Amino acid sequence: MNAAVRPVNPVLITGLTYLMFMMFAMTTDAVGVIIPEVIRQYGLTMTQAGAFHYATMAGIALAGLGLGFLADQMGRKWTIILGLSLFALNSFLFAVGDDFLFFAGLLFVSGLAIGIFKTGALALIGDISTSTESHTRVMNAVEGFFGVGAILGPLIVAQLLITGASWKWLYVIAGALCTLLILTAFLVRYPARQARSEPGVNVSGLLALMKDPFALSFSGLAMLYVGVETAIYVWMPTLLAGYKGPAVWLAVYALSIFFVLRAAGRFVGAWMLARLAWTQVLLVSSGAILICFVAALFGGKAVAVYVLPLSGLFMSVMYPTINSKGISCFRKAQHGAAGGVILFFTCVSAVVAPLAMGAVSDVFGDARYGFMLATVMALALFAALLYNRLRNPAAARLNALNAEY
């Protein structure tokens, strides 16, 4: 059957998008388990080994900002296939290397690939959504599958290490899964709306997009949120180190519990957003996160061991909703570029925030001081979302753009 007349299968397209997010989360969120092995294997310092995190984030940031417009210029399908192909080839190269700098270079290229196909996938979500509200619900479900990947990746690495295999095989597994996604992407017919009937965004137009107050505002919210989240998955294990109370088992599995609650909460978030205003959901969630961080600071490790993992439940809905609303403030022909801009600022925060928290902790000699900085970010996020709830400055633009769906 000709591609022009083959029916669009929204279920297959949505499933493909879900699996893409799950697949790359398997690698990006497993880095915390891999870094100790890299330190032991190559005799690195923590700062040097941290390149395994920073290299990927830098690649995603550069691709999001510099290549996000590809989804609007090339179309969703070929942008996704390009990114997935680069990611798969790059992943298989892990099997033939045995040098730290080689791996760091592969991780940077992996970040570029993720940035390419992720912005294509983000734009595709706009094509399969029927309103700005449904866009937000789909985004939360997509990030829920990202959370599943964040759980699977560390588990796979742990199992590999238990059996005496190298952590490198995680990337080979991801490459094999990615190959199946590429084949699926070739066969799927994408929505006709992804073909541009109006001007999109090119490199020169990207600068104008970055000056848009809505792009900057939602990017700022994303940066604050990511700064708060990285405090958990980068520094919570350090904060809880040496805990001797009655919940020792909880301290050991605190990060895993956080990821599980974050993943589960994203599926619940899609349900909540179908019934409550998004401004209300974000305000309540950010307030709960702030309470968790304040309680951890004043209660010490005895309280932090309970409330910091619990914060994953409240964080779950934050990023996908902020990201969705930011992208939905633009025409569909600009969704790829808009998603790329927000993705760039997200990755900048993912690098700078944990570095700043680590520096503060080093100066004062305790991880608790880094969490003080994170608590300030949580307070700023809550204040911004309180203003958003009271004034809802994006409402007019979102309502006007609903006509596109």
Side-chain angles (χ1 to χ4, degrees), residues 151-164:
I151 297 168
L152 290 177
L155 287 176
I156 292 173
V157 173
Q159 188 60 37
L160 288 171
L161 297 177
I162 289 172
T163 59

Side-chain angles (χ1 to χ4, degrees), residues 76-87:
R76 314 326 189 197
K77 178 172 185 172
W78 296 110
T79 301
I80 288 172
I81 290 174
L82 172 63
L84 289 177
S85 299
L86 180 59
F87 186 88

Side-chain angles (χ1 to χ4, degrees), residues 376-393:
V376 172
M377 293 182 186
L379 177 61
L381 180 63
F382 175 75
L385 291 172
L386 176 60
Y387 173 83
N388 183 63
R389 172 60 180 167
L390 295 175
R391 301 294 298 273
N392 199 3

